[in-house]
Amino acid sequence: MKDLFGGVEGGGTKFICAIGPDAHNILAEDRFPTTTPQETLDQVIGFFRKHDNLAAIGIACFGPLDLRLDSPTYGRLLSTPKAGWSGADLLGRLRQAFQIPIGLDNDVNGAALGEHLWGAGQGLDTFIYLTIGTGIGGGVFAQGNLLHGLLHPEMGHIPLPHDRARDPFEGTCPFHGDCFEGLACGPAMEKRWGQRAESLPEDHPAWDLEASYIAHALASYIYSISPQRIIVGGGVGSVPHMLKKVREYTRSLINGYIPSRSIQDEIDRFIVPPGLGNRAGVAGALALARQAFQKDL
Ligand code: ZN
């Protein structure tokens, strides 16, 4: 019999709990609105109490999270604009309730690990998972492990060339204004064009500008991290006609400098949508559970 894992995908509007041996076999699932940490985590714990045969639990949650092992606030949310959640002790609450291994990471790192196990990152040892939606975030899987470093990468906040003659929009990032996220996340598109990104027609100039920003970011990641693949997901990132443009612009920006077939001839397989589609979040949580279980063996 296969080991059963529990996964929690913690989001700003809802928490999704699932149980299964892997991302393709979910045996039970439930979702709860994100209210207070006390109430939401009580519901999460109640869900898993109904299943007493779990090998481990994984939590893939919105951040920022304190993931420094030597920190007194390890496993808690750091300062977050989500009301009431700053300092919430995610790991502590779950550890108090369950005496099994519990893994915790941010949602994009979880999604990267899920894609590595069951999706578009299978067989690779270094790749990037980038999500472009309400915000922009990236997880880096580097030489077989999720990259954490000082805290964790913040790939949505890199500076980009911003031609104000072409795009006078000042950007939406409260910290940087016109960083990548400030120029290219869903809310930035909506503010710039006066309508939601998903309602913009395929021939709208918004998509060309969006693809060009994303391509500049991807070129920077390719130069600095040398990924074997870049997975682009999220509500804006996964629009197929835009991803096609992103590939063309990325190859053109790199201009032959990286002597790899992946970029020169096979960019369709190098910049790809998530293999797990919109299941990446739950898959990520199950992947973190599996990782916690294996580390504990
Ligand atoms: Zn920023």
Side-chain angles (χ1 to χ4, degrees):
M1 171 152 169
K2 276 179 140 183
D3 292 309
L4 274 187
F5 300 109
V8 187
E9 177 189 4
T13 56
K14 61 181 183 297
F15 271 56
I16 303 177
C17 297
I19 285 170
D22 58 65
H24 300 299
N25 298 285
I26 306 290
L27 307 178
E29 186 176 304
D30 208 347
R31 49 193 64 206
F32 313 105
T34 309
T35 55
T36 63
Q38 179 72 38
E39 185 179 42
T40 308
L41 295 175
D42 277 350
Q43 289 179 305
V44 166
I45 289 166
F47 173 82
F48 290 121
R49 282 246 161 88
K50 289 184 240 157
H51 306 269
D52 57 1
N53 52 348
L54 298 180
I57 293 173
I59 315 166
C61 189
F62 67 91
L65 298 169
D66 189 346
L67 298 171
R68 298 162 295 186
L69 286 169
D70 59 350
S71 164
T73 53
Y74 172 70
R76 289 175 182 260
L77 270 157
L78 294 166
S79 176
T80 164
K82 180 79 192 160
W85 284 80
S86 293
D89 191 5
L90 293 167
L91 195 61
R93 284 290 313 279
L94 272 284
R95 275 187 174 161
Q96 221 170 34
F98 303 103
Q99 279 65 53
I100 53 177
I102 298 180
L104 170 73
D105 213 322
N106 67 45
D107 41 12
V108 283
N109 266 349
L113 191 61
E115 288 289 328
H116 174 67
L117 289 175
W118 305 300
Q122 290 180 73
L124 303 180
D125 71 11
T126 299
F127 69 93
I128 291 168
Y129 173 88
L130 186 73
T131 177
I132 304 171
T134 312
I136 300 182
V140 179
F141 192 82
Q143 298 189 302
N145 280 298
L146 291 171
L147 181 64
H148 288 104
L150 189 62
L151 280 177
H152 45 71
E154 288 288 356
M155 309 183 76
H157 294 271
I158 61 168
L160 290 185
H162 180 193
D163 176 357
R164 286 176 188 270
R166 182 186 181 196
D167 176 25
F169 182 63
E170 72 279 11
T172 59
C173 177
F175 291 89
H176 318 111
D178 62 349
C179 64
F180 180 24
E181 180 175 288
L183 290 172
C185 66
M189 291 185 80
E190 186 175 345
K191 202 166 172 200
R192 180 191 288 111
W193 302 105
Q195 54 180 307
R196 290 179 63 84
E198 53 267 45
S199 70
L200 292 162
E202 190 174 333
D203 59 355
H204 194 286
W207 294 115
D208 205 57
L209 184 68
E210 181 71 6
S212 137
Y213 285 139
I214 298 171
H216 274 95
L218 298 197
S220 292
Y221 305 153
I222 291 166
Y223 293 139
S224 50
I225 293 165
S226 200
Q228 295 159 316
R229 187 168 292 157
I230 301 179
I231 302 169
V232 185
V236 172
S238 55
V239 172
H241 65 81
M242 204 236 348
L243 208 54
K244 222 172 132 211
K245 279 200 172 96
V246 169
R247 293 187 183 110
E248 285 164 27
Y249 287 156
T250 304
R251 184 166 49 192
S252 144
L253 280 170
I254 287 176
N255 197 22
Y257 184 66
I258 308 279
S260 163
R261 283 188 55 193
S262 290
I263 290 168
Q264 318 247 21
D265 309 314
E266 298 170 358
I267 199 152
D268 287 2
R269 292 170 51 203
F270 180 76
I271 298 171
V272 301
L276 297 165
N278 60 6
R279 308 295 296 156
V282 162
L286 290 174
L288 292 170
R290 193 171 175 272
Q291 184 186 59
F293 176 68
Q294 286 172 338
K295 274 188 183 162
D296 197 60
L297 285 178

